[in-house]
Amino acid sequence: MDGGDTTGSGRVRSAGAGRLDARPGPRPAGPPLPAGTTTLDLGGPESLVAVPGDAPGPRPLLVFCHGAGGTAQQSLAAVGAVALARGVVVLATSSVAATWDLLTGGLGRDVAVLDAALERVSTGVAVSRVALGGFSDGASYALSLGLANGDLFEALLAFSPGFTAPPGRTGRPRVWIAHGTADRVLPVDRCGRRVSRDLTAAGYDVTYDEFDGGHVVTPGLVTAALDTWLGPPG
C-alpha cells in the first residue's frame, strides 16, 4: 500500500516527514464507534480499535505498535485487556511490510495508514488524551514517531525498545521504558539502558523500569505503563 492511497497530497508529504495530521478530541463529528473491537475499513493493512463499554465521556486513547512480524491483533492481545479495564481505547494497525517503514527504507506508508486510522477514530470516539506505545521494533517506532509528534502524544510507552531515530522533535512527551535484564533479542545494556539514558540527557521526562525477564510484554508491565501515563486507578 502506498501512502497516497490513504491520504491527500499534503498528508503524503507529512507522512514522509513522520508527521501525523489527525487530532482526536473530545467532540467527535460522526456516530460513535460501538463497544468492543471494530475493524476499520481503510483499504490497507488491518487496523483495529477496541472501545471499552462502561466509561462515559472522553476516554484516553492508546495507539500501540506491534513487534517485527506481528499484527494489529497481536497488539490488542498484548495490551487490550488491561487497557480496556482502565477505560482506555486502544488503536492498533498492522505494518505494511514485516516491520515498520522506519526500519525498512524510510517513513511514509505506515505513517499514512496510522494517520488515516487516527482520523477515523477521531470521528467516532471522544478522546481526552493520547499516548503512543509499542513492543520491540514497535517500541523503537513509537519512540521515534512519538518524539516527532509530541504535540499529539503526551506520553510514549516503550516495551523493550532497540533504538530511537526521530525524523524531528516536536513537543516534550513523557517517556516510559521497560526492558528485561534477560532479553536476548535486544540486550538491555545497549538498548533499554542506552535509550533511556540518551533521552534523559536530551531533557525528556523518562521513567525507566528494568525487570527480571526476557523479551516480553506482561499484564504487570502494561499496568505500570498505564499508571505512569494516567496515574494509579481510583
Side-chain angles (χ1 to χ4, degrees), residues 86-183:
R86 287 286 299 270
V88 175
V89 179
V90 181
L91 172 64
T93 61
S94 294
S95 58
V96 174
T99 192
W100 301 96
D101 51 13
L102 178 65
L103 293 89
T104 59
L107 292 164
R109 297 180 301 169
D110 291 326
V111 179
V113 171
L114 179 55
D115 207 17
L118 278 165
E119 184 66 35
R120 175 66 184 90
V121 169
S122 73
T123 67
V125 179
V127 174
S128 59
R129 54 207 300 189
V130 190
L132 178 62
F135 170 62
S136 192
D137 273 11
S140 300
Y141 194 61
L143 290 174
S144 301
L145 197 62
L147 294 175
N149 291 275
D151 51 342
L152 169 61
F153 302 113
E154 67 174 22
L156 310 177
L157 311 177
F159 299 77
S160 306
F163 65 91
T164 60
R169 296 176 188 259
T170 300
R172 306 297 289 183
R174 290 181 292 128
V175 179
W176 176 90
I177 296 171
H179 216 109
T181 57
D183 192 331

Side-chain angles (χ1 to χ4, degrees), residues 29-56:
L33 287 171
T37 301
T38 297
T39 299
L40 304 178
D41 184 9
L42 302 175
E46 184 177 49
S47 298
L48 303 173
V49 59
V51 178
D54 58 354

